[in-house]
């Protein structure tokens, strides 16, 4: 009988983590019950939020239990269906985790049309990261034409779409912050950022980053889309304009901290500028996913919205791929190709 | 000829300040030109924002210049008018500063009806502090019935009305934070707070305050109205609920700092709770002052909205009165009675 390889959470590292936090095991391929669907996964998405699921602390969802399969978004092919809404051969997006096979109940499972775009985009620009960019910028960030928009992790799975949507929606100026010359060049030449600041050479010197941001944003900052947190965010806050909006989407620079860093308080910048800072998660917008996907799909088809994938082959490499994210080594949406994609030839 | 005593800003202390930051001088009483009005001041308002006006840093309004009359809200009597909209004997509210006589242009000057309430309330519950409470709680804080509301500086000129408006508007639970047993007793017995936490005995121990807040707010915190900042705010943030709103009105505990304090970053609490933190100043709502004053006046008349004034006599004591605010010694709205109030017998 076929074997299901899967990654379990093996420990809860308090700070920096390595592959030993996970354990690869082999289990029998499960059988679907009435109403269920057996999916053979093709693509696994790796995302910064996963670090939070490895911790046993209050967050917006419960943590992964020790010994349980690591959570994650997947795209795969239905190989057996006991649910009339899905049939063998359907390509579906679900959250089946770090494993080769998974059982879906159909609820929350989304059929993907391979004719529209590569099916892996259902985990990226036409999936959670893309929707996060869309609602985070336009709704939480309340971006309007004429704004100066700053985006951290500017070429990432979320940041990349944010910069381009800001452009499409008439921002006056779109400025990225990213790590390394290659990403910054890509942000400006391919994604249409007006400028991109390479933070990597700055050695966490907030003053130096403030200077670079001031030069790049001569009219101040109206919207800050934050994927990074920590000293990057410290540098943005002093430059926000009256009624600025700061959308807190993620803080990858803080997820590995054992204790919160100490930093100058930022509330003064909110007070003197009547500015707003708001955290969000994409599930808050689940009633509006269709609206977002329609507009985003149109932009992808017309070529206005570009995306980039960073593919690691083989489920056995999933922990390594997650580590890439936390080292900033990924360039574009981090994916694991669990097996060859049958829809791409 | 009559003499106009007035307080000038004499220096810009970087941190803690004392009376030497100000200089009392005598000048001739000015004469109104066409369109202007000469006002003999009766009441002077002292407010935390004045500390910011003593600094030469970017804020929402320019600083007071060295050698210029200190800014401040006043209520006085028109003694000479060259503006048809005002006549001798009118009681008016204006921002004429720390002085006995001032010239108004009529613009921004508000006639006060002594029959409605004591005229000093035009600087308190029926003036800027009251409006700040009203719009800050209901608009920025978006308070709704059933919320748990926490207010710092709970018995102050702003905090006092905030707690009572929360009660009137159907908050499930209203919890104050104030300094000393007398203020906390007053908050619960007179203002209708469900509980009030005395921070003074806690020696800036955030953990102790978190514990007290957790006990006082068993269902978490939906709205935090912040007048204080610093370690008080650090203790509130870990307890906010999903979609909580934090209205940043002031941070009196930080205004005397020469350098920003270092503190654990708070953005994580916003992210995991999809919570919002927003700074504001009351001038953002100037188009809606009438609406606020109408509702607030009704509550004052019906006795639902109580207020308390802390009166210091004599313009010569204005610096001392401002210092009282920063030591938390005031109990209620801090006022200076420049001369006997002719409308009170």
């Amino acid at each position: 009988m076929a074997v299901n390889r899967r990654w379990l959470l093996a420990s809860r590292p308090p700070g920096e983590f390595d592959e030993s936090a996970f354990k690869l095991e082999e289990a029998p391929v499960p059988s679907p019950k009435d109403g269920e669907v057996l999916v053979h996964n093709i693509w696994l998405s790796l995302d910064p939020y996963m670090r939070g699921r490895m911790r046993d602390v209050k967050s917006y969802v419960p943590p992964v239990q020790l010994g349980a399969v690591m959570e994650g978004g997947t795209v795969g092919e239905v190989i057996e269906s006991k649910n009339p809404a899905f049939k063998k051969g359907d390509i579906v997006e679900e959250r089946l985790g770090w494993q080769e096979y998974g059982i879906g109940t159909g609820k929350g499972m989304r059929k993907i049309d391979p004719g529209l775009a590569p099916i892996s985009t259902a985990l990226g620009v036409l999936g959670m990261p893309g929707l996060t960019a869309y609602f985070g910028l336009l709704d939480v960030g309340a971006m309007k034409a004429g704004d100066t928009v700053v985006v951290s992790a500017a070429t990432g799975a979320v940041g990349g779409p944010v910069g381009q949507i800001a452009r499409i929606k008439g921002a006056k100026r779109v400025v990225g912050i990213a790590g390394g010359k290659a990403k910054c060049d890509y942000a400006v030449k391919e994604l249409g950022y007006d400028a991109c600041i390479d933070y990597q050479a700055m050695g966490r010197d907030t003053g130096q980053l403030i200077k670079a941001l001031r030069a790049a944003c001569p009219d101040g900052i109206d919207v800050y889309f934050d994927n990074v947190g920590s000293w990057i965010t410290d540098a943005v806050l002093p430059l926000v304009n009256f009624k600025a909006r700061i959308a807190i989407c993620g803080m990858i620079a803080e997820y590995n901290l054992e204790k919160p860093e100490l930093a100058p308080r930022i509330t003064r910048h909110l007070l003197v500028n009547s500015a707003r800072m708001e955290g969000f998660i994409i599930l808050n917008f689940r009633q509006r996913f269709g609206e977002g996907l329609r507009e985003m799909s149109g932009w992808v088809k017309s070529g206005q919205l570009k995306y980039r994938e960073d593919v690691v082959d083989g489920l056995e490499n999933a922990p390594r791929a997650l580590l890439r994210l936390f080292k900033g080594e990924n360039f574009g949406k981090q994916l694991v190709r669990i097996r060859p994609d049958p829809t791409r030839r």
Side-chain angles (χ1 to χ4, degrees), chain A residues 302-323:
Chain A
S302 69
Q304 286 175 281
L305 189 53
K306 296 177 187 174
Y307 61 92
R308 183 175 175 126
E309 298 176 337
D310 186 323
V311 176
V312 166
D313 268 298
L315 180 68
E316 63 278 12
N317 292 313
R320 263 195 286 277
L322 183 62
L323 280 162

Side-chain angles (χ1 to χ4, degrees), chain A residues 141 146-149 219-224 241-246:
Chain A
D147 280 345
T148 292
V149 177
D219 298 323
I221 298 168
D222 300 300
V223 176
Y224 173 45
N241 288 335
F242 181 70
K243 292 268 184 187
R245 286 85 62 202
I246 297 129

